[in-house]
Structures are given as structure tokens and as C-alpha cells.
mmCIF file of all heavy atoms in Angstrom:
data_model
loop_
_atom_site.group_PDB
_atom_site.id
_atom_site.type_symbol
_atom_site.label_atom_id
_atom_site.label_comp_id
_atom_site.label_asym_id
_atom_site.label_seq_id
_atom_site.Cartn_x
_atom_site.Cartn_y
_atom_site.Cartn_z
ATOM 1 N N MET A 1 -29.957 57.778 -26.366
ATOM 2 C CA MET A 1 -30.871 56.904 -25.814
ATOM 3 C C MET A 1 -31.173 55.654 -26.714
ATOM 4 O O MET A 1 -31.672 55.918 -27.798
ATOM 5 C CB MET A 1 -32.187 57.620 -25.428
ATOM 6 C CG MET A 1 -33.302 56.701 -24.813
ATOM 7 S SD MET A 1 -34.793 57.577 -24.567
ATOM 8 C CE MET A 1 -35.820 56.246 -23.899
ATOM 9 N N ALA A 2 -30.937 54.460 -26.233
ATOM 10 C CA ALA A 2 -31.204 53.295 -27.047
ATOM 11 C C ALA A 2 -31.893 52.244 -26.114
ATOM 12 O O ALA A 2 -31.212 51.494 -25.509
ATOM 13 C CB ALA A 2 -29.908 52.768 -27.687
ATOM 14 N N GLU A 3 -33.173 52.166 -26.163
ATOM 15 C CA GLU A 3 -33.921 51.172 -25.359
ATOM 16 C C GLU A 3 -34.976 50.534 -26.171
ATOM 17 O O GLU A 3 -35.219 50.828 -27.293
ATOM 18 C CB GLU A 3 -34.654 51.984 -24.220
ATOM 19 C CG GLU A 3 -33.601 52.620 -23.267
ATOM 20 C CD GLU A 3 -34.277 53.215 -21.983
ATOM 21 O OE1 GLU A 3 -35.401 52.718 -21.684
ATOM 22 O OE2 GLU A 3 -33.854 54.089 -21.509
ATOM 23 N N ASN A 4 -35.439 49.473 -25.583
ATOM 24 C CA ASN A 4 -36.511 48.595 -26.285
ATOM 25 C C ASN A 4 -37.832 49.330 -26.167
ATOM 26 O O ASN A 4 -38.756 48.799 -25.524
ATOM 27 C CB ASN A 4 -36.441 47.155 -25.693
ATOM 28 C CG ASN A 4 -37.371 46.303 -26.438
ATOM 29 O OD1 ASN A 4 -37.697 46.514 -27.671
ATOM 30 N ND2 ASN A 4 -37.968 45.321 -25.888
ATOM 31 N N LEU A 5 -37.859 50.482 -26.762
ATOM 32 C CA LEU A 5 -39.149 51.286 -26.706
ATOM 33 C C LEU A 5 -39.439 51.829 -28.099
ATOM 34 O O LEU A 5 -38.690 52.022 -28.964
ATOM 35 C CB LEU A 5 -38.850 52.551 -25.858
ATOM 36 C CG LEU A 5 -38.513 52.321 -24.422
ATOM 37 C CD1 LEU A 5 -38.087 53.604 -23.769
ATOM 38 C CD2 LEU A 5 -39.782 51.802 -23.614
ATOM 39 N N LEU A 6 -40.755 51.965 -28.345
ATOM 40 C CA LEU A 6 -41.276 52.637 -29.567
ATOM 41 C C LEU A 6 -40.847 54.097 -29.562
ATOM 42 O O LEU A 6 -40.936 54.862 -28.545
ATOM 43 C CB LEU A 6 -42.730 52.570 -29.652
ATOM 44 C CG LEU A 6 -43.446 51.206 -29.782
ATOM 45 C CD1 LEU A 6 -44.913 51.253 -29.842
ATOM 46 C CD2 LEU A 6 -42.958 50.532 -31.074
ATOM 47 N N PHE A 7 -40.303 54.500 -30.707
ATOM 48 C CA PHE A 7 -39.941 56.001 -30.832
ATOM 49 C C PHE A 7 -39.076 56.445 -29.827
ATOM 50 O O PHE A 7 -39.228 57.559 -29.298
ATOM 51 C CB PHE A 7 -41.126 56.850 -30.983
ATOM 52 C CG PHE A 7 -42.234 56.341 -31.872
ATOM 53 C CD1 PHE A 7 -43.444 55.921 -31.266
ATOM 54 C CD2 PHE A 7 -42.081 56.128 -33.170
ATOM 55 C CE1 PHE A 7 -44.497 55.384 -32.091
ATOM 56 C CE2 PHE A 7 -43.020 55.594 -33.957
ATOM 57 C CZ PHE A 7 -44.264 55.221 -33.459
ATOM 58 N N ALA A 8 -38.001 55.665 -29.544
ATOM 59 C CA ALA A 8 -36.917 56.139 -28.488
ATOM 60 C C ALA A 8 -36.216 57.299 -29.037
ATOM 61 O O ALA A 8 -35.732 58.129 -28.266
ATOM 62 C CB ALA A 8 -36.002 54.978 -28.215
ATOM 63 N N THR A 9 -36.046 57.397 -30.347
ATOM 64 C CA THR A 9 -35.329 58.523 -30.981
ATOM 65 C C THR A 9 -36.383 59.498 -31.664
ATOM 66 O O THR A 9 -37.026 58.951 -32.626
ATOM 67 C CB THR A 9 -34.341 58.140 -31.936
ATOM 68 O OG1 THR A 9 -33.423 57.285 -31.259
ATOM 69 C CG2 THR A 9 -33.514 59.312 -32.498
ATOM 70 N N LEU A 10 -36.535 60.761 -31.291
ATOM 71 C CA LEU A 10 -37.390 61.639 -32.031
ATOM 72 C C LEU A 10 -36.487 62.768 -32.661
ATOM 73 O O LEU A 10 -36.850 63.321 -33.716
ATOM 74 C CB LEU A 10 -38.449 62.293 -31.130
ATOM 75 C CG LEU A 10 -39.639 61.431 -30.867
ATOM 76 C CD1 LEU A 10 -40.663 62.318 -30.037
ATOM 77 C CD2 LEU A 10 -40.257 60.956 -32.123
ATOM 78 N N ASP A 11 -35.495 63.143 -31.975
ATOM 79 C CA ASP A 11 -34.676 64.329 -32.486
ATOM 80 C C ASP A 11 -33.399 63.797 -33.141
ATOM 81 O O ASP A 11 -32.711 62.908 -32.680
ATOM 82 C CB ASP A 11 -34.287 65.131 -31.198
ATOM 83 C CG ASP A 11 -35.492 65.541 -30.398
ATOM 84 O OD1 ASP A 11 -36.319 66.338 -30.857
ATOM 85 O OD2 ASP A 11 -35.688 64.897 -29.323
ATOM 86 N N PRO A 12 -33.192 64.350 -34.269
ATOM 87 C CA PRO A 12 -31.943 63.888 -35.121
ATOM 88 C C PRO A 12 -30.614 64.145 -34.340
ATOM 89 O O PRO A 12 -30.485 65.221 -33.756
ATOM 90 C CB PRO A 12 -32.051 64.778 -36.336
ATOM 91 C CG PRO A 12 -32.751 65.945 -35.982
ATOM 92 C CD PRO A 12 -33.775 65.550 -34.856
ATOM 93 N N THR A 13 -29.756 63.190 -34.353
ATOM 94 C CA THR A 13 -28.547 63.326 -33.606
ATOM 95 C C THR A 13 -27.394 63.078 -34.603
ATOM 96 O O THR A 13 -27.503 62.133 -35.474
ATOM 97 C CB THR A 13 -28.320 62.278 -32.544
ATOM 98 O OG1 THR A 13 -29.531 62.339 -31.791
ATOM 99 C CG2 THR A 13 -27.160 62.540 -31.704
ATOM 100 N N MET A 14 -26.315 63.904 -34.662
ATOM 101 C CA MET A 14 -25.214 63.720 -35.608
ATOM 102 C C MET A 14 -23.878 63.573 -34.875
ATOM 103 O O MET A 14 -23.654 64.334 -33.908
ATOM 104 C CB MET A 14 -25.212 64.908 -36.585
ATOM 105 C CG MET A 14 -26.430 65.001 -37.518
ATOM 106 S SD MET A 14 -26.200 66.179 -38.771
ATOM 107 C CE MET A 14 -27.239 65.544 -40.067
ATOM 108 N N ARG A 15 -23.066 62.657 -35.369
ATOM 109 C CA ARG A 15 -21.767 62.493 -34.840
ATOM 110 C C ARG A 15 -20.740 62.133 -35.966
ATOM 111 O O ARG A 15 -21.145 61.707 -37.009
ATOM 112 C CB ARG A 15 -21.759 61.370 -33.771
ATOM 113 C CG ARG A 15 -22.585 61.612 -32.517
ATOM 114 C CD ARG A 15 -21.910 62.551 -31.557
ATOM 115 N NE ARG A 15 -22.642 62.665 -30.282
ATOM 116 C CZ ARG A 15 -23.725 63.248 -30.082
ATOM 117 N NH1 ARG A 15 -24.313 63.976 -31.018
ATOM 118 N NH2 ARG A 15 -24.284 63.270 -28.800
ATOM 119 N N GLU A 16 -19.569 62.312 -35.692
ATOM 120 C CA GLU A 16 -18.523 61.815 -36.566
ATOM 121 C C GLU A 16 -18.243 60.424 -36.516
ATOM 122 O O GLU A 16 -18.387 59.721 -35.461
ATOM 123 C CB GLU A 16 -17.143 62.659 -36.235
ATOM 124 C CG GLU A 16 -16.015 62.315 -37.073
ATOM 125 C CD GLU A 16 -14.738 63.156 -36.534
ATOM 126 O OE1 GLU A 16 -14.920 64.296 -36.149
ATOM 127 O OE2 GLU A 16 -13.646 62.540 -36.577
ATOM 128 N N VAL A 17 -18.037 59.774 -37.678
ATOM 129 C CA VAL A 17 -17.676 58.353 -37.671
ATOM 130 C C VAL A 17 -16.544 58.098 -38.730
ATOM 131 O O VAL A 17 -16.446 58.929 -39.664
ATOM 132 C CB VAL A 17 -19.027 57.524 -38.128
ATOM 133 C CG1 VAL A 17 -19.410 57.904 -39.542
ATOM 134 C CG2 VAL A 17 -18.828 56.088 -37.981
ATOM 135 N N ALA A 18 -15.751 57.139 -38.467
ATOM 136 C CA ALA A 18 -14.684 56.795 -39.418
ATOM 137 C C ALA A 18 -15.198 55.747 -40.389
ATOM 138 O O ALA A 18 -15.771 54.800 -40.098
ATOM 139 C CB ALA A 18 -13.447 56.159 -38.588
ATOM 140 N N LEU A 19 -14.853 56.022 -41.730
ATOM 141 C CA LEU A 19 -15.244 55.192 -42.765
ATOM 142 C C LEU A 19 -14.001 54.852 -43.692
ATOM 143 O O LEU A 19 -13.157 55.854 -43.906
ATOM 144 C CB LEU A 19 -16.262 55.781 -43.690
ATOM 145 C CG LEU A 19 -17.717 55.754 -43.190
ATOM 146 C CD1 LEU A 19 -18.659 56.426 -44.273
ATOM 147 C CD2 LEU A 19 -18.294 54.407 -42.893
ATOM 148 N N PRO A 20 -13.884 53.570 -44.129
ATOM 149 C CA PRO A 20 -12.788 53.308 -44.976
ATOM 150 C C PRO A 20 -12.658 54.210 -46.272
ATOM 151 O O PRO A 20 -13.684 54.291 -46.894
ATOM 152 C CB PRO A 20 -12.917 51.810 -45.345
ATOM 153 C CG PRO A 20 -13.792 51.316 -44.222
ATOM 154 C CD PRO A 20 -14.699 52.474 -43.820
ATOM 155 N N GLY A 21 -11.516 54.753 -46.465
ATOM 156 C CA GLY A 21 -11.421 55.575 -47.706
ATOM 157 C C GLY A 21 -11.789 57.052 -47.499
ATOM 158 O O GLY A 21 -11.731 57.844 -48.403
ATOM 159 N N PHE A 22 -12.270 57.433 -46.301
ATOM 160 C CA PHE A 22 -12.570 58.751 -45.951
ATOM 161 C C PHE A 22 -11.896 59.221 -44.687
ATOM 162 O O PHE A 22 -11.717 58.525 -43.791
ATOM 163 C CB PHE A 22 -14.039 58.954 -45.849
ATOM 164 C CG PHE A 22 -14.906 58.580 -47.100
ATOM 165 C CD1 PHE A 22 -15.281 57.293 -47.375
ATOM 166 C CD2 PHE A 22 -15.193 59.625 -48.069
ATOM 167 C CE1 PHE A 22 -15.886 56.947 -48.532
ATOM 168 C CE2 PHE A 22 -15.842 59.246 -49.178
ATOM 169 C CZ PHE A 22 -16.269 57.986 -49.454
ATOM 170 N N ASP A 23 -11.590 60.562 -44.686
ATOM 171 C CA ASP A 23 -10.988 61.065 -43.487
ATOM 172 C C ASP A 23 -12.000 60.916 -42.372
ATOM 173 O O ASP A 23 -11.675 60.510 -41.211
ATOM 174 C CB ASP A 23 -10.574 62.598 -43.686
ATOM 175 C CG ASP A 23 -9.441 62.849 -44.597
ATOM 176 O OD1 ASP A 23 -8.740 61.855 -44.846
ATOM 177 O OD2 ASP A 23 -9.336 63.955 -45.160
ATOM 178 N N LYS A 24 -13.223 61.355 -42.630
ATOM 179 C CA LYS A 24 -14.320 61.129 -41.589
ATOM 180 C C LYS A 24 -15.663 61.273 -42.392
ATOM 181 O O LYS A 24 -15.609 61.739 -43.488
ATOM 182 C CB LYS A 24 -14.236 61.984 -40.423
ATOM 183 C CG LYS A 24 -14.236 63.495 -40.738
ATOM 184 C CD LYS A 24 -14.151 64.253 -39.455
ATOM 185 C CE LYS A 24 -13.750 65.653 -39.639
ATOM 186 N NZ LYS A 24 -13.572 66.431 -38.436
ATOM 187 N N ALA A 25 -16.713 60.927 -41.728
ATOM 188 C CA ALA A 25 -18.087 60.982 -42.330
ATOM 189 C C ALA A 25 -18.907 61.536 -41.115
ATOM 190 O O ALA A 25 -18.612 61.430 -39.965
ATOM 191 C CB ALA A 25 -18.592 59.781 -42.822
ATOM 192 N N ILE A 26 -20.093 62.058 -41.423
ATOM 193 C CA ILE A 26 -21.110 62.450 -40.471
ATOM 194 C C ILE A 26 -22.232 61.453 -40.378
ATOM 195 O O ILE A 26 -22.834 61.140 -41.570
ATOM 196 C CB ILE A 26 -21.694 63.818 -40.789
ATOM 197 C CG1 ILE A 26 -20.589 64.884 -40.928
ATOM 198 C CG2 ILE A 26 -22.666 64.305 -39.726
ATOM 199 C CD1 ILE A 26 -19.814 65.094 -39.634
ATOM 200 N N LEU A 27 -22.514 60.873 -39.314
ATOM 201 C CA LEU A 27 -23.557 59.887 -39.190
ATOM 202 C C LEU A 27 -24.787 60.533 -38.447
ATOM 203 O O LEU A 27 -24.637 61.170 -37.407
ATOM 204 C CB LEU A 27 -23.099 58.644 -38.404
ATOM 205 C CG LEU A 27 -24.026 57.428 -38.279
ATOM 206 C CD1 LEU A 27 -24.267 56.842 -39.649
ATOM 207 C CD2 LEU A 27 -23.496 56.376 -37.291
ATOM 208 N N SER A 28 -25.990 60.325 -39.054
ATOM 209 C CA SER A 28 -27.215 60.938 -38.466
ATOM 210 C C SER A 28 -28.108 59.860 -38.115
ATOM 211 O O SER A 28 -28.562 59.002 -38.814
ATOM 212 C CB SER A 28 -27.883 61.866 -39.586
ATOM 213 O OG SER A 28 -29.066 62.344 -39.136
ATOM 214 N N ASP A 29 -28.705 59.928 -36.869
ATOM 215 C CA ASP A 29 -29.714 59.023 -36.404
ATOM 216 C C ASP A 29 -31.012 59.717 -36.529
ATOM 217 O O ASP A 29 -31.091 60.996 -36.276
ATOM 218 C CB ASP A 29 -29.507 58.648 -34.923
ATOM 219 C CG ASP A 29 -30.336 57.550 -34.449
ATOM 220 O OD1 ASP A 29 -30.900 56.864 -35.233
ATOM 221 O OD2 ASP A 29 -30.423 57.280 -33.165
ATOM 222 N N THR A 30 -32.117 59.023 -36.900
ATOM 223 C CA THR A 30 -33.435 59.670 -37.247
ATOM 224 C C THR A 30 -34.551 59.032 -36.457
ATOM 225 O O THR A 30 -34.392 58.019 -35.887
ATOM 226 C CB THR A 30 -33.686 59.624 -38.725
ATOM 227 O OG1 THR A 30 -33.755 58.234 -39.081
ATOM 228 C CG2 THR A 30 -32.644 60.397 -39.501
ATOM 229 N N VAL A 31 -35.703 59.737 -36.559
ATOM 230 C CA VAL A 31 -36.901 59.145 -35.950
ATOM 231 C C VAL A 31 -37.298 57.826 -36.561
ATOM 232 O O VAL A 31 -37.098 57.651 -37.791
ATOM 233 C CB VAL A 31 -38.054 60.170 -36.158
ATOM 234 C CG1 VAL A 31 -38.356 60.403 -37.623
ATOM 235 C CG2 VAL A 31 -39.340 59.682 -35.419
ATOM 236 N N GLY A 32 -37.804 56.852 -35.765
ATOM 237 C CA GLY A 32 -38.204 55.578 -36.308
ATOM 238 C C GLY A 32 -39.572 55.741 -37.055
ATOM 239 O O GLY A 32 -40.405 56.500 -36.777
ATOM 240 N N PHE A 33 -39.604 54.937 -38.204
ATOM 241 C CA PHE A 33 -40.759 54.960 -39.032
ATOM 242 C C PHE A 33 -41.842 53.911 -38.566
ATOM 243 O O PHE A 33 -41.422 53.072 -37.807
ATOM 244 C CB PHE A 33 -40.522 54.697 -40.428
ATOM 245 C CG PHE A 33 -39.619 55.686 -41.106
ATOM 246 C CD1 PHE A 33 -39.009 55.477 -42.383
ATOM 247 C CD2 PHE A 33 -39.252 56.920 -40.488
ATOM 248 C CE1 PHE A 33 -38.104 56.352 -42.947
ATOM 249 C CE2 PHE A 33 -38.503 57.869 -41.072
ATOM 250 C CZ PHE A 33 -37.922 57.598 -42.278
ATOM 251 N N ILE A 34 -43.085 54.034 -38.959
ATOM 252 C CA ILE A 34 -44.040 53.085 -38.655
ATOM 253 C C ILE A 34 -44.959 52.833 -39.892
ATOM 254 O O ILE A 34 -44.904 53.622 -40.905
ATOM 255 C CB ILE A 34 -44.927 53.474 -37.429
ATOM 256 C CG1 ILE A 34 -45.576 54.837 -37.709
ATOM 257 C CG2 ILE A 34 -44.215 53.424 -36.101
ATOM 258 C CD1 ILE A 34 -46.587 55.247 -36.686
ATOM 259 N N SER A 35 -45.757 51.874 -39.787
ATOM 260 C CA SER A 35 -46.724 51.594 -40.914
ATOM 261 C C SER A 35 -47.770 52.748 -40.890
ATOM 262 O O SER A 35 -48.205 53.203 -39.906
ATOM 263 C CB SER A 35 -47.405 50.308 -40.723
ATOM 264 O OG SER A 35 -48.216 50.207 -39.547
#
């Protein structure tokens, strides 16, 4: 979920991603911070 909303992401999500020089890496999306 990616919308123009506050705190659209609450639960951590992990997926595989390709990075130069690595077979693969794990990318993690996290909860948005606030002041």
C-alpha cells in the first residue's frame, strides 16, 4: 500500500532486491516516523 496518507505503512514488509555486487539483498519497509 502506497498512498498519500499518514502512516500508510505500519507493518514491516520484506522483499528481495537486486544490488550491484551482490547476488541479492533483503529490503525492508518500515513504519513512518513523526515529530
